[in-house]
Amino acid sequence: MKLRELLLQYEVQNKLSHKEVANIVGVSLSTYYRWINGESTLLKRRNLDKLSEMFDCDIELVINEGERVKPILGKVKAGYDLWAEEDIEGYIELGQADARKGDYFLRVTGDSMEGSHIFDGDIVFVQQCDEVDSGRIAVVLIGEEATIKKVYFKKDLMISESSNPKYESRYFTPEEVEELPVRVIGLVRFVRTDFV
């Protein structure tokens, strides 16, 4: 992830202006604009330290190894009735092989995928895509609601299936897929459970 993206996201999340963030870091507004425009990439040690403190992560690692550092984007429901959110909770560093498999993490809420060993509070690593093979676990947008489900394609139906038997599958006709809409937005590559 580039410094520019991090700074702009930080401004949006904290409702701050360019000038306010420049003041927090302790740099001039012109220096800050060079960072935002990607004109200045060599940062002084004190600026790196201040940015690391502000972002609560090793900013040098994020900038230099951005391809291996992936964001945790909000929450996705393992169930239904939760709106998709895109608030960055933090970042996770991955090995090179794993980093190539996907684009971002989502935090799971709900219990509908417990049969697939995806539990409430877990985070799933997602490869952004708009198609998956039948039977794969995917992030599906139903209207504006994001959910994790096994997706099947049978006859003319798209089926969204939980792996917890207490939840019923949902069946969508081609018309419903278009009208709601229902669309795949990512393939779940793996799940990570953190033990507290």
Side-chain angles (χ1 to χ4, degrees):
M1 180 159 291
K2 293 180 179 164
L3 178 59
R4 173 185 191 280
E5 295 166 350
L6 287 168
L7 291 169
L8 293 175
Q9 181 67 37
Y10 185 84
E11 286 179 11
V12 170
Q13 284 180 329
N14 295 284
K15 297 180 175 72
L16 297 170
S17 68
H18 292 337
K19 185 176 183 179
E20 290 170 318
V21 177
N23 287 338
I24 291 169
V25 181
V27 296
S28 69
L29 192 54
S30 61
T31 296
Y32 188 77
Y33 276 118
R34 284 196 298 275
W35 292 354
I36 294 287
N37 294 327
E39 296 168 14
S40 179
T41 54
L42 294 173
L43 279 67
K44 295 177 182 171
R45 170 55 47 202
R46 71 172 184 268
N47 292 339
L48 288 169
D49 292 343
K50 192 69 177 174
L51 287 166
S52 294
E53 182 183 320
M54 186 175 84
F55 288 115
D56 194 27
C57 68
D58 184 347
I59 197 69
E60 203 167 5
L61 176 69
V62 174
I63 294 168
N64 295 334
E65 299 189 32
E67 292 302 309
R68 291 182 47 210
V69 177
K70 304 293 181 175
I72 304 170
L73 301 178
K75 297 177 181 173
V76 65
K77 183 88 169 187
Y80 296 104
D81 304 318
L82 182 75
W83 299 103
E85 297 178 15
E86 288 191 353
D87 294 333
I88 295 179
E89 279 186 27
Y91 299 88
I92 295 177
E93 181 184 4
L94 297 166
Q96 286 184 336
D98 280 341
R100 285 192 292 268
K101 293 178 185 175
D103 301 294
Y104 57 88
F105 288 93
L106 288 171
R107 187 167 301 280
V108 176
T109 61
D111 64 355
S112 74
M113 294 304 290
E114 287 183 354
S116 297
H117 306 285
I118 300 174
F119 300 96
D120 186 55
D122 286 353
I123 52 177
V124 291
F125 191 44
V126 179
Q127 176 188 359
Q128 194 169 332
C129 63
D130 53 15
E131 291 182 3
V132 293
D133 292 334
S134 189
R136 299 297 300 265
I137 298 174
V139 180
V140 180
L141 205 58
I142 302 171
E144 293 183 35
E145 164 201 333
T147 185
I148 298 177
K149 291 289 177 279
K150 283 187 181 176
V151 177
Y152 293 96
F153 303 97
K154 293 185 180 176
K155 298 184 182 175
D156 282 339
L157 296 175
M158 179 178 176
I159 304 165
S160 170
E161 183 178 281
S162 300
S163 60
N164 183 335
K166 75 179 187 180
Y167 294 98
E168 291 184 15
S169 297
R170 291 177 70 178
Y171 298 81
F172 301 98
T173 65
E175 294 77 26
E176 290 171 318
V177 168
E178 286 295 316
E179 290 169 13
L180 285 173
V182 180
R183 60 189 178 96
V184 170
I185 59 171
L187 171 67
V188 173
R189 298 306 304 256
F190 61 80
V191 63
R192 173 175 160 165
T193 301
D194 290 326
F195 297 104
V196 225

